[in-house]
Amino acid sequence: MTRTQHSTTREAEILRLDRQICFSLHAATRAFNGVYRLVLQDLGLTYPQYLVMLVLWEHGELPVKRLGEHLRLDSGTLSPLLKRLETAGLVRRERSARDERSVQVGLTEQGTALRERALEVPRRIGAATGFDADEVRDLQERLDTLTAALDAAIARPDALNGNTATP
Amino acid sequence: MTRTQHSTTREAEILRLDRQICFSLHAATRAFNGVYRLVLQDLGLTYPQYLVMLVLWEHGELPVKRLGEHLRLDSGTLSPLLKRLETAGLVRRERSARDERSVQVGLTEQGTALRERALEVPRRIGAATGFDADEVRDLQERLDTLTAALDAAIARPDALNGNTATP
DNA sequence: CGCAATTCAATTGTGTGCAACTAAATGACG
DNA sequence: CGTCATTTAGTTGCACACAATTGAATTGCG
């Protein structure tokens, strides 16, 4: 038990608690990822690719920029991902004629057809969570609140020092 | 599977709901990542590196295997990460004399010293969330429950089809 | 009109995360 | 005692995530 001697119990607890909090989210995300990986392998999609397809199924053709806004992802992530979906024959990419900077992303016939099989996914995931609809909704609300708070803190970095004063 | 294509609205809602649920977790994780990135850049650590350091500060020297069990990460992720921490002078790696397969990971003097500055991190993160201690504890509990359910489902893949029968 | 600022996608580089494989060491068993 | 299965790290390959940069197209403004 060499357990870092000089430090007080109080300090040790501070860091241990923090590990539990951030680690819980980290672990939940990876566990979710694992389940989606398993469920989605039938469709030949990764989890982020599935998210992209969900947006396309819901909204139809739209530029990379809009896609990134829906998913909070930038072109650095989306460009290679969309290329892989294009190679897989699920997605079509073409520069907009109206604005040559913009690239329109749309579904191929195959990509549209895949939606039928994707309808099974939510039920499978739901079964894996063991949560009922109310619990899921509640958890989602908390996560969204958390995300909003974290985004606000990032936008105003002094919040990270516990300051309440505005610059 | 009798469920096939008739009601378009129903189907659209199913996928839209799934997008909301899985996306909330995805977004929360990335938002948390962003805040940690900002707070940890003073310490020169990434978020996963910080998690590794937390385990080492709490438990002292231990083999890569144990470290992976604490963090649910395998050597494929830990090996390069630990090399970077070693290059940064925070961590020491040496093969165990007792079992030559095992590699013991311990803190350098510099790594131990970094703990002092890390004590500030939890307070900063807490301020960013805007959650009080009770809310954080409650959210953590739900996430842990979720993780346990998802892990159990992965271990028993028929659970992903909503079946209750055992093979 | 003409030039500067802005927008947008793509690229580059770093750091995970994980599956699949390799290689070395250990242990179990006949 | 030797063989083989198991354990443990490491390596490789692929797929995000994101910061920073590039380059092309567009817009704004005098």
Side-chain angles (χ1 to χ4, degrees):
Chain A
M1 229 69 76
T2 46
R3 173 157 325 177
T4 34
Q5 56 286 39
H6 50 284
S7 60
T8 68
T9 311
R10 173 155 188 79
E11 286 179 344
E13 260 172 32
I14 289 174
L15 288 185
R16 197 165 56 82
L17 189 66
D18 184 55
R19 178 166 81 81
Q20 288 171 5
I21 296 165
C22 61
F23 179 68
S24 290
L25 190 69
H26 207 60
T29 299
R30 299 220 308 289
F32 237 115
N33 239 304
V35 172
Y36 270 104
R37 189 196 319 280
L38 215 58
V39 171
L40 291 175
Q41 72 183 5
D42 287 347
L43 307 187
L45 294 176
T46 66
Y47 183 43
Q49 286 169 7
Y50 172 67
L51 293 177
V52 167
M53 294 301 286
L54 283 178
V55 173
L56 291 177
W57 286 324
E58 187 177 340
H59 292 96
E61 182 172 316
L62 76 183
V64 174
K65 185 70 191 305
R66 293 278 161 279
L67 203 51
E69 285 170 359
H70 279 293
L71 297 170
R72 297 161 142 268
L73 293 172
D74 66 5
S75 65
T77 299
L78 287 177
S79 288
L81 189 156
L82 291 172
K83 273 189 196 168
R84 284 186 283 271
L85 286 179
E86 189 179 37
T87 302
L90 299 174
V91 145
R92 192 172 30 78
R93 291 188 310 151
E94 46 196 37
R95 293 230 165 245
S96 163
R98 203 177 41 73
D99 185 341
E100 289 283 347
R101 295 169 304 178
S102 175
V103 170
Q104 293 287 319
V105 181
L107 293 165
T108 62
E109 202 169 318
Q110 203 183 141
T112 304
L114 190 65
R115 183 176 176 279
E116 293 301 318
R117 292 204 282 147
L119 290 171
E120 285 297 307
V121 173
R123 195 178 52 78
R124 293 191 180 189
I125 299 296
T129 63
F131 278 27
D132 64 31
D134 283 346
E135 287 173 313
V136 170
R137 187 171 17 252
D138 186 73
L139 178 62
Q140 190 198 322
E141 255 171 42
R142 284 163 199 262
L143 289 173
D144 289 346
T145 303
L146 187 60
T147 300
L150 293 172
D151 283 348
I154 282 194
R156 210 168 42 83
D158 59 306
L160 300 181
N161 292 318
N163 297 339
T164 49
T166 48
Chain B
M1 287 306 125
T2 53
R3 63 176 56 222
T4 28
Q5 66 292 7
H6 2 282
S7 70
T8 53
T9 311
R10 199 17 139 239
E11 290 177 346
E13 263 172 33
I14 290 174
L15 290 185
R16 200 164 54 80
L17 195 64
D18 191 49
R19 177 164 85 80
Q20 289 172 1
I21 295 164
C22 63
F23 178 68
S24 290
L25 190 70
H26 207 62
T29 299
R30 301 219 307 289
F32 238 118
N33 239 307
V35 172
Y36 270 104
R37 188 195 320 279
L38 214 57
V39 170
L40 291 175
Q41 70 183 6
D42 287 348
L43 307 187
L45 293 175
T46 67
Y47 183 41
Q49 288 168 5
Y50 172 67
L51 293 177
V52 167
M53 294 301 286
L54 283 178
V55 174
L56 291 176
W57 285 325
E58 186 176 343
H59 292 97
E61 182 172 314
L62 78 182
V64 174
K65 186 71 192 306
R66 294 277 161 279
L67 201 53
E69 284 169 2
H70 280 294
L71 297 170
R72 298 161 141 269
L73 293 172
D74 65 5
S75 64
T77 300
L78 286 177
S79 288
L81 189 157
L82 290 172
K83 272 192 198 167
R84 283 187 281 271
L85 286 180
E86 190 179 38
T87 302
L90 299 174
V91 145
R92 191 172 30 78
R93 290 187 310 152
E94 46 195 38
R95 294 231 163 242
S96 163
R98 202 175 44 72
D99 185 341
E100 289 282 348
R101 294 169 305 180
S102 176
V103 169
Q104 294 287 320
V105 182
L107 293 164
T108 62
E109 202 168 318
Q110 204 183 141
T112 304
L114 190 65
R115 183 175 177 281
E116 294 302 318
R117 291 204 282 148
L119 290 170
E120 283 298 305
V121 173
R123 195 177 52 78
R124 293 191 180 188
I125 299 297
T129 64
F131 278 28
D132 64 31
D134 282 346
E135 286 174 314
V136 170
R137 188 173 17 253
D138 186 72
L139 179 60
Q140 191 199 320
E141 253 173 46
R142 283 162 199 263
L143 290 173
D144 290 345
T145 303
L146 187 60
T147 301
L150 294 172
D151 283 347
I154 282 193
R156 210 167 44 81
D158 59 305
L160 300 181
N161 293 318
N163 298 339
T164 48
T166 50

